[in-house]
Amino acid sequence: MEFEINPNPFFMVGTLVTRGTICFETLDRSKVVKYSWVRILGKSEIDFLQHAHGIEGVAEYVTTDVICTMGDYLKELNFSNASFWKMRSSDPFISKAEDAEESKNPQLRDRELSRIVITPHGHSLRSSKTIMEFLVVIRDAIVAHRRLYVEKKILHGDISDGMLIDLDHAEMAGAPQHANDNFSLTGTMKFMVLERLQYASKSKPTINRTFHHDLESFFCVFIVGCITYERGKKSEEVIDLQNWFTGTIKNNYVAKQLAVLAFEEDILHKFSTKFLSLKPLATELRTILFGEHEPEYEKIIKAFNNTIEEVRGKINQ
């Protein structure tokens, strides 16, 4: 297959430690072409996309190819006298260069540069033009994830407010974690759930994901939108949320835990003007997720549906 693409990427990862993910759109804007360095061992994003075929609301796999592997470039190099470094820090996930020490037993994991084509081309949640659209997009995404979980036993594992264009952090529900993944806190830190942050902050192996984790990440996406989407990057409220994803894992965990406990002051009081009407929904979602009973897809979706109907009723008045 051949596709004409816009040479200007619409998405690039901006962090230092990354898979090098970069996404382009085709000229007819019907498809996304994604490049990323992925692991060779285990289930790949391609496997999950093919397994998810036919699930409404989830991107459809079109085609893929492998451009090269790291081994292709490294096989002719002699590393016998090379120095390898590992990070030694009380926080194994976020370390500074000065915390590095020489490693005599380096682990070199081969990766491959894959090119995946999927359809359709989605849009980020931040591009929502109305409160109604904001609510419907989140609700529809949760419905799609419920289908993924119920029908295919797939957990997404990296819910964020970007476009739902990939399954590169997905895993099968209930699947045992690989030993090499015990300290892999994968996903978008801003939307990382409390339980996984808690384990990571204590340098414990991370726990298996559940659909509860995906639901909690959706809650974080909703909260971030209500506080930040209407404001500039330098506003005090937006800066406060940086504690969710900057600094150490322990600091991230403490900041989110305090936000849940002091919800009225730390979260609801910071909702921007256009999102004030969503405070009751935020409170209900918090109760569902952190109350005495196990959270359920149906309760979350019902809460969104009720709010959507209220907003629709006000529009039609």
Side-chain angles (χ1 to χ4, degrees):
M1 294 184 181
E2 293 186 357
F3 303 95
E4 291 185 280
I5 65 172
N6 184 330
N8 300 311
F10 67 85
F11 175 81
M12 292 179 63
V13 176
T15 54
L16 180 62
V17 181
T18 172
R19 300 183 183 201
T21 301
I22 182 169
C23 299
F24 301 85
E25 64 178 357
T26 55
L27 290 182
D28 63 3
R29 307 199 68 183
S30 66
K31 299 176 180 65
V32 171
V33 181
K34 172 186 173 183
Y35 294 81
S36 182
W37 287 94
V38 299
R39 289 184 182 179
I40 295 177
L41 298 177
K43 280 186 174 293
S44 69
E45 179 180 11
I46 301 166
D47 296 323
F48 285 112
L49 285 170
Q50 291 176 329
H51 186 52
H53 176 71
I55 298 295
E56 184 180 353
V58 178
E60 287 285 335
Y61 166 82
V62 178
T63 187
T64 186
D65 63 335
V66 175
I67 299 172
C68 62
T69 69
M70 286 186 177
D72 294 336
Y73 291 98
L74 300 179
K75 63 184 179 182
E76 301 298 332
L77 299 178
N78 182 0
F79 289 95
S80 59
N81 295 319
S83 295
F84 296 88
W85 300 83
K86 65 180 180 180
M87 309 306 287
R88 54 175 178 81
S89 170
S90 58
D91 185 341
F93 303 97
I94 300 178
S95 303
K96 301 178 181 178
E98 56 262 31
D99 291 326
E101 66 178 10
E102 193 165 4
S103 172
K104 296 182 180 179
N105 299 303
Q107 290 185 336
L108 296 178
R109 296 179 181 176
D110 201 6
R111 290 180 178 267
E112 60 186 19
L113 178 59
S114 68
R115 174 169 46 204
I116 303 175
V117 181
I118 57 179
T119 189
H121 182 326
H123 298 279
S124 69
L125 179 64
R126 186 178 287 273
S127 67
S128 300
K129 293 180 173 58
T130 65
I131 293 297
M132 174 67 81
E133 186 178 357
F134 174 77
L135 291 170
V136 169
V137 168
I138 298 179
R139 189 274 313 273
D140 288 352
I142 295 174
V143 170
H145 280 75
R146 179 179 62 177
R147 295 192 186 107
L148 266 181
Y149 175 72
V150 173
E151 299 178 29
K152 301 293 185 177
K153 301 302 179 186
I154 295 176
L155 295 169
H156 186 273
D158 186 20
I159 306 299
S160 72
D161 59 352
M163 285 172 286
L164 184 60
I165 61 170
D166 55 36
L167 290 172
D168 55 355
H169 288 297
E171 63 181 41
M172 299 302 295
Q177 286 189 311
H178 192 276
N180 289 335
D181 292 332
N182 279 346
F183 286 98
S184 297
L185 193 64
T186 56
T188 305
M189 190 58 64
K190 186 187 298 185
F191 310 110
M192 192 69 63
V193 300
L194 280 171
E195 190 174 31
R196 291 177 65 80
L197 286 173
Q198 181 182 28
Y199 272 70
S201 68
K202 297 178 180 179
S203 298
K204 293 182 178 180
T206 56
I207 58 175
N208 283 346
R209 299 176 187 142
T210 69
F211 75 86
H212 300 164
H213 295 152
D214 278 356
L215 285 174
E216 188 178 328
S217 289
F218 273 117
F219 175 67
C220 292
V221 167
F222 171 77
I223 293 300
V224 168
C226 291
I227 294 176
T228 69
Y229 284 5
E230 194 183 352
R231 293 188 169 103
K233 294 182 179 180
K234 295 183 179 180
S235 72
E236 182 178 339
E237 293 82 2
V238 173
I239 292 173
D240 284 346
L241 280 185
Q242 290 181 354
N243 291 326
W244 284 20
F245 59 95
T246 59
T248 66
I249 297 292
K250 184 175 182 179
N251 289 343
N252 298 157
Y253 168 67
V254 171
K256 277 190 179 176
Q257 186 181 45
L258 290 175
V260 171
L261 294 175
F263 195 66
E264 178 77 25
E265 180 179 352
D266 283 4
I267 298 298
L268 295 184
H269 283 178
K270 296 176 182 177
F271 273 32
S272 57
T273 304
K274 292 181 180 179
F275 292 84
L276 291 177
S277 62
L278 301 185
K279 283 186 177 183
L281 174 59
T283 302
E284 184 177 0
L285 295 176
R286 174 184 177 273
T287 301
I288 294 172
L289 289 166
F290 303 103
E292 297 180 358
H293 303 288
E294 289 289 308
E296 299 175 5
Y297 278 112
E298 287 71 19
K299 291 180 180 179
I300 298 288
I301 293 170
K302 182 179 179 181
F304 271 95
N305 283 339
N306 290 340
T307 303
I308 288 170
E309 289 306 312
E310 289 177 7
V311 173
R312 182 176 287 118
K314 293 178 181 178
I315 293 174
N316 294 332
Q317 286 180 353

